[in-house]
Each structure stands twice: as structure tokens, then as C-alpha cells.
Amino acid sequence: MALTREQMAQRVARELQDGFYVNLGIGIPTLVANYIPDGIDVMLQSENGLLGMGRYPTEDELDPDMINAGKETVTVRPGAAIFSSAESFAMIRGGHVDLTVLGAFEVDQQGNIASWMIPGKLIKGMGGAMDLVAGAENIICTMTHASKHGESKLLEKCELPLTGAGCINRVLTDLAYLEIKDGAFILKERAPGVSVEEIIEKTAGKLVVPDHVPEMTFDD
Amino acid sequence: MAGFDKRVASYEEAMEGIESGMTVIAGGFGLCGIPENLIAEIKRRGVNDLTVVSNNCGVDGFGLGVLLEDRQIKKILASYVGENALFEKQMLNNEIEVVLTPQGTLAEKMRAGGAGIPAFYTATGYGTPIGDGKEVREFNGRHYILEEAITGDFAIVKGWKADRYGNVMYRHTAQNFNPMAATAGKITVVEVEEIVEPGELEPSQIHTPGIYVDRIIQGTFEKRIEKRTVRS
């Protein structure tokens, strides 16, 4: 079975380490915040100028001056800091954020990512995504392995306009967890019940398959 | 003699001197921390052919979105322009020129503009359409593109508290692009929720020192929420 969005978030959350500053993109990455393992403290960075994002507010706490990068109303956790957009992107571009998790349309075996523009469709903009992928050492891309029509999104070369070049080293899809190294995807784990053959079939880019590919396990 | 007193008596006076064809830099992120009354005054004045520099372009009927209604914006530099049907329509009809700019690059363009730095190198956008036609240089084995700074004829800024001398503090994440915008205007206008006497604000807590600020006005704000998310 392909992973659900929640399972994808759960799997990404296992990559969190105690003391990490983490930027979570919109969509599945946002859900990662719900699965931070016990005993681990992470600080969530929101690129509109907030380090230490908390939960959504109650009705009483609701404040139009307190939002996240998705423009949702939020709260801050104890120990949070608030700053300007320039300061926020100094953190991001300066490589101070330990982990960035974001979605993508396509990723290729050279670590290129396309996530902001589909020519011919309405273009809404890249927001902070180009800064995030250029600035972070450590990025996990979350996406479905293939389109609804079965076309692979893990390619030899991205077809859509790039968000960043050579910057992605890890990808979690609904079928597999992969690393990108030396011009190839390396299959590290597969979703429960998903065969290596299915992953091979749905990966258009160069794929390295080790002898043993463990199956991910989930509590529920 | 007004000395350092930057207060103006009306919004009309606050935007005195704005003309068609000018560049306006605006603070705000989404609808958070936007100079909503200064924007409304630009609308009232009916100036057009404006170049607007702002992370977003408001929504239909609020924020910078109101300047689209009478086609006052000729060109916009922004990082994200979703959530606005009128904007979409004008963009698709080529009635508005849109220069999509990565968010960090946009913030740095304003910061550099205000700091007298004409351009800077950044890795953001290298190898993407944003880097097309821009100078590339390699430093320590990495590629960077040259991005130019931005200054505006006007900067419009939303603060929380200010003193009469134009020292400004922002509230929570309503800070966002406002401090950089404030540095980058030939004329910087700040609207705030409260104006206090000099000495009442803690000097080390000032976000925007008064040296950047030309005019200051106290207003009332709707503070519309774009995405209302609550937990039960």
C-alpha cells in the first residue's frame, strides 16, 4: 500500500534530531509537526519571520499579527523569536536551518528540483522555496512517486523549470524513501506492501537497488 | 520648527507628493502587517502606472488588491501572487507586469537598497529561470547570481508603536518586510497603532530607528485575517 499523507509525515519525522531548527513547507511537510518523536525538541522556523512556531490558536488566542508562512494564524512556543524577513532569510541562506522539508512536482537524479511553475498554467510564484533549497544542506523532498496517470516524478532530468539545481539529497514518496547520490536515486526503504518491482517501474531516473530494501513500519 | 517630529495630521498629508509612474515599496506578508490606510490613500488619489514592490499583492478588495481595481499598478515585484482573482485576470491579459522574485532575494533587495549596496551575489535562483541573463560568479566552488538592490520613491510601512521622532516597533509577525521597506524609500511613511512621546519606547527595542522615517501617522486598522486556523 502506498503511504498516506500522515504516514509520510510520520516517516519524515523520524529524521528529526534533538535540537534541530526545521523549516516545514506547505502540505505534507506541515503535518510533520504532528509527529515529532517524544523526547526530541525541535524548533520550527517559518520564513515570514518566526522561529519557534507553536500550535494553532484557540479562539481566544487568535491574533491577526501572528501568522506562519502559509498565512495561517498560529501561536508561538516558549523560547520563540520573531524577526524581519531579511533576518529570516539570513538564517535560511546562511545554512543555519538544520532541516528543510518541502514538496515538489519533480526531482531528478542530479538532485535538481522543480516545484514552483508549470508552464501554461497559472504561475503564483516561488515564495521562499528557491531560497530554502539554495540555503539548506539538508533537505527532504516529499511527493507522490508518480502522477495520477502513472508518470514518474523521479526523473533523469527535470522537465519543468527548476526551483534549485543539485540541492536535493533525500526524497520521501508515497512508495519509497530514497537518497540521491552520484547521479542516481538509491532506494533505501519501501512502503509496507510495495514491491521493489513497482518502485523500479515507477522510477524514470537511474535507480540503484541494494540487495536488501527494508519495509517501513508504522505503529498503527 | 518641527525638529525631529515626523507626525503628519492626515493620510492626505502622509502621501503628499506621490505621482503616477513612481515606485512604491510596501511592507507586509499576505495581509499581515500591511499599511492598509496608506494603500487606501493611494487608491483615493488615483495615481497610476505604479511599480509596486511587495511580497504579495493583497486579496480581492483588500490590501494592495484595491489598487488593481482601477488598474493603478503597472508592474509588481513579488514572491507570491496567489489568492487574488483580479490579479490573475490582469496578469493573464498582460495588463500588469509581474516580476516574480524569490522571497529572500526580495527582502535582501530592499535591505541592500536601503543600505547603499547596489547589488549582491546569492545562490538563490542559480540554475533556474530566475538566474537567466544574470551575471554568474563562482565563490569557493559554488555558483552565485548577481541581484540588484531596489529603492523606491515611497516606502509605505505598518508599525505597531512609534514615538514622534519616527522610532518604530512592530508587533509579532507583522514585522516581516516592514523594517527593510522602511530603509528603502526616498520618502518613508509609517502608519502605526499608537504614537507615544520620545523616551517612552526602550531604545534597544526599536526595530526601525527614526533616521529612516520621514512621516508618521496614527491610524485604525481592520487587520483582516487571510487564513483563520484555530484548534478546538
Side-chain angles (χ1 to χ4, degrees), chain A residues 26 47-50 55-59 61-76 82-90 93 113 116-117 121-137 161-165 167, chain B residues 29-33 55-56 78-83 88 91-92 100-108 111 120-130 142 158 160 171-177 179-180 193 207 222-232:
Chain A
I26 291 164
E47 62 266 26
N48 57 316
L50 167 58
R55 300 185 294 174
Y56 288 139
T58 61
E59 290 284 348
E61 291 167 338
L62 194 74
D63 186 334
D65 288 338
M66 191 75 88
I67 66 166
N68 65 16
K71 293 157 192 160
E72 299 171 325
T73 45
V74 291
T75 59
V76 291
I82 290 175
F83 34 82
S84 73
S85 299
E87 184 79 51
S88 181
F89 282 94
R93 294 167 171 228
I113 172 173
W116 72 283
M117 174 185 180
K121 280 201 175 181
L122 184 73
I123 302 155
K124 294 190 169 184
M126 70 292 286
M130 284 194 181
D131 305 281
L132 282 160
V133 298
E137 289 282 315
L162 296 185
T163 308
C167 49
Chain B
F29 184 96
L31 300 181
C32 182
N55 190 52
N56 315 93
S79 85
Y80 189 81
V81 289
E83 9 279 359
E88 250 176 71
M91 186 160 76
L92 292 170
L100 289 172
T101 306
Q103 199 173 121
T105 295
L106 189 65
E108 195 64 14
R111 198 195 70 79
F120 56 93
Y121 287 100
T122 178
T124 300
Y126 171 74
T128 79
I130 297 306
R142 227 186 143 191
K158 160 68 174 57
W160 175 38
R171 185 167 177 275
H172 302 330
T173 60
Q175 181 174 168
N176 56 60
F177 282 83
M180 283 74 66
E193 295 170 41
H207 293 115
E222 178 184 337
K223 292 197 189 181
R224 196 179 292 185
I225 291 175
E226 198 163 339
K227 289 183 190 163
R228 191 175 194 283
T229 44
V230 292
R231 70 173 194 270
S232 42

Side-chain angles (χ1 to χ4, degrees), chain A residues 108-111 179-186 205-208:
Chain A
D108 72 27
Q109 64 195 40
Q110 300 299 336
E179 288 181 5
I180 302 175
K181 209 178 164 190
D182 302 328
F185 295 101
I186 301 160
K206 186 177 172 190
L207 180 68
V208 174

Side-chain angles (χ1 to χ4, degrees), chain B residues 36-99:
Chain B
E36 51 182 82
N37 300 302
L38 295 171
I39 294 166
E41 172 62 18
I42 294 173
K43 179 175 171 65
R44 194 193 66 79
R45 284 171 172 260
V47 291
N48 53 31
D49 282 329
L50 297 173
T51 295
V52 171
V53 183
S54 169
N55 190 52
N56 315 93
C57 197
V59 296
D60 290 314
F62 194 67
L64 288 167
V66 304
L67 301 185
L68 299 167
E69 293 162 2
D70 304 314
R71 301 210 187 133
Q72 291 174 270
I73 303 178
K74 177 185 69 178
K75 178 177 173 182
I76 182 160
L77 278 80
S79 85
Y80 189 81
V81 289
E83 9 279 359
N84 193 323
L86 190 54
F87 188 92
E88 250 176 71
K89 187 166 158 266
Q90 292 188 11
M91 186 160 76
L92 292 170
N93 293 340
N94 290 318
E95 291 168 349
I96 185 167
E97 184 188 342
V98 183
V99 183

Side-chain angles (χ1 to χ4, degrees), chain A residues 121-180:
Chain A
K121 280 201 175 181
L122 184 73
I123 302 155
K124 294 190 169 184
M126 70 292 286
M130 284 194 181
D131 305 281
L132 282 160
V133 298
E137 289 282 315
N138 195 4
I139 303 171
I140 300 176
C141 225
T142 59
M143 58 200 291
T144 54
H145 208 99
S147 73
K148 283 175 196 145
H149 312 292
E151 291 154 344
S152 180
K153 297 180 178 181
L154 275 56
L155 306 174
E156 188 185 336
K157 195 169 187 300
C158 286
E159 288 159 10
L160 296 169
L162 296 185
T163 308
C167 49
I168 305 300
N169 40 32
R170 291 187 281 172
V171 183
L172 177 77
T173 73
D174 53 342
L175 304 182
Y177 180 63
L178 311 99
E179 288 181 5
I180 302 175

